[in-house]
Amino acid sequence: MYTQALNTAEAPGAPVDAAAAARFQARIDAEQRIEPRDFMPEAYRRTLIRQISQHAHSEIVGMLPEGNWITRAPSLRRKAALLAKVQDEGGHGLYLYAAAETLGVAREALVDQLLAGVAKYSSIFNYPTLTWADIGAIGWLVDGAAIMNQIPLCRCSYGPYARAMIRICKEESFHQRQGFEIMLTLCRGTPAQKAMAQDALDRWWWPVLMMFGPPDAQSQHSQTSTRWKIKRFSNDELRQKFLDATVPQARFLGLTPPDPALAFDAETGHWRAGPIDWAEFEAVLAGNGPCNRERLEARRRAHEDGAWVRDAARAHAEKPRATKAQAA
């Protein structure tokens, strides 16, 4: 598959064909989808592999903060809903790894990069889930932020990625509503339950705003990804959309975002947030967040424990070939 992909793109280190690159950009500008066998610049392919693999890793690692609450959820209905959600996230990771494979990279190589700690995933999943309210906050805020980022990806210029995102966004929308309903139930419950919801909001608010990535002026990839229509909105634009949608929801719940500088700008019609601590964001990305080591250790352990399943699947896949060869 890797050789196949390179036949339709520039081989690494090869000189760029200016005419082919111009035709490629013209297709992008005309809103035409790029498919796996089409010509694509090597830089476009590398950018997609980086983004799709990080997205896939985030879905897989994102199962961990919620997974440890399945057995502790407050009712059978909550357990079943959370179990279904965690299962959905695993499926999202599989869709995305499959999309990345169409670019000529092996899924095993991507997983190895994650387990080695050299591949990034969303910074948000390096924070702990301390109470049941955190599960509501993740659904409401984290999945809400994900939807802001992912709905435009349904119009991504690369076909397999765009098509994978259609089902993912539908399921993420359900997850967001599920999280909001948990928060609403807590806020309409006892004073202690509402205080627990406020505490969860206090701890997740700033990390969620960081999810969209650094300010546009500091983003390394945003401009190129926008030109190729992999992304449709900049980091700051997506963050603003999230603020405008989420602050009214918090007010409806009777909760207060932990930002004393948060204010509504009547002139522009937008909510304005205070300064974000980007030093914290960089520290988490560098592996120094509250749960970085715990998350990677959990993934490594799961990978090792699942080796027998991969071996069995491989043996099953190879058995028909061996039988056929013997018959011949």
Side-chain angles (χ1 to χ4, degrees):
M1 184 182 291
Y2 184 66
T3 304
Q4 227 175 30
L6 288 183
N7 286 338
T8 58
E10 307 158 14
V16 177
D17 183 331
R23 288 194 296 271
F24 171 82
Q25 188 61 50
R27 289 190 63 188
I28 297 290
D29 295 340
E31 298 288 345
Q32 295 179 18
R33 285 270 170 83
I34 306 300
E35 299 296 341
R37 293 181 181 274
D38 294 342
F39 168 85
M40 64 185 76
E42 176 63 16
Y44 177 82
R45 190 182 75 89
R46 286 198 309 269
T47 297
L48 281 168
I49 290 174
R50 175 188 57 78
Q51 180 168 329
I52 298 173
S53 64
Q54 288 181 9
H55 193 166
H57 298 331
S58 298
E59 298 284 357
I60 298 301
V61 176
M63 299 164 69
L64 298 174
E66 295 172 303
N68 66 0
W69 274 93
I70 291 173
T71 58
R72 295 183 288 165
S75 69
L76 181 60
R77 181 174 75 89
R78 296 295 191 194
K79 284 180 173 65
L82 185 56
L83 182 62
K85 180 186 178 184
V86 171
Q87 179 178 278
D88 285 348
E89 306 296 359
H92 298 173
L94 296 180
Y95 306 152
L96 293 164
Y97 283 132
E101 285 181 313
T102 66
L103 291 158
V105 61
R107 184 179 311 197
E108 293 78 7
L110 298 178
V111 172
D112 287 346
Q113 290 171 8
L114 172 64
L115 299 179
V118 297
K120 289 184 171 60
Y121 55 87
S122 179
S123 59
I124 195 68
F125 299 119
N126 289 309
Y127 291 85
T129 46
L130 304 179
T131 71
W132 172 249
D134 288 39
I135 303 304
I138 288 176
W140 171 38
L141 299 173
V142 176
D143 293 325
I147 289 168
M148 290 292 176
N149 189 46
Q150 293 174 7
I151 286 178
L153 290 174
C154 295
R155 296 186 291 125
C156 170
S157 61
Y158 187 59
Y161 192 19
R163 289 188 288 273
M165 292 312 304
I166 294 173
R167 177 167 178 172
I168 290 174
C169 285
K170 288 179 180 178
E171 292 178 349
E172 292 290 7
S173 179
F174 172 78
H175 299 165
Q176 194 271 345
R177 293 196 298 273
Q178 177 188 347
F180 186 81
E181 190 268 337
I182 290 173
M183 297 296 277
L184 182 62
T185 300
L186 291 171
C187 290
R188 290 180 174 176
T190 66
Q193 288 174 321
K194 185 171 183 179
M196 186 167 65
Q198 180 65 59
D199 174 67
L201 174 59
D202 290 346
R203 287 182 287 106
W204 288 94
W205 179 257
W206 292 110
V208 168
L209 291 184
M210 296 174 196
M211 271 182 69
F212 296 99
D216 294 343
Q218 300 174 23
S219 177
Q220 297 178 4
H221 308 288
S222 189
Q223 189 173 1
T224 301
S225 293
T226 302
R227 177 166 58 87
W228 281 330
K229 298 189 178 179
I230 297 172
K231 289 180 65 171
R232 296 284 176 160
F233 298 97
S234 72
N235 296 348
D236 287 338
E237 288 173 328
L238 291 169
R239 195 167 10 252
Q240 186 62 63
K241 285 176 178 286
F242 174 80
L243 276 169
D244 290 342
T246 308
V247 173
Q249 293 172 0
R251 291 162 70 90
F252 177 81
L253 291 171
L255 301 177
T256 304
D259 180 0
L262 183 68
F264 184 73
D265 186 340
E267 206 171 292
T268 63
H270 294 299
W271 285 92
R272 300 300 183 195
I276 295 173
D277 182 3
W278 291 110
E280 177 184 335
F281 176 74
E282 295 296 337
V284 174
L285 283 187
N288 299 314
C291 297
N292 286 71
R293 293 173 183 81
E294 179 183 332
R295 299 291 183 243
L296 280 181
E297 178 55 35
R299 286 308 312 150
R300 292 185 187 113
R301 187 167 58 250
H303 190 74
E304 291 167 5
D305 291 346
W308 69 273
V309 178
R310 296 191 298 277
D311 292 342
R314 193 177 301 111
H316 179 75
E318 292 172 354
K319 187 176 180 181
R321 298 182 208 161
T323 306
K324 196 172 181 180
Q326 288 170 1

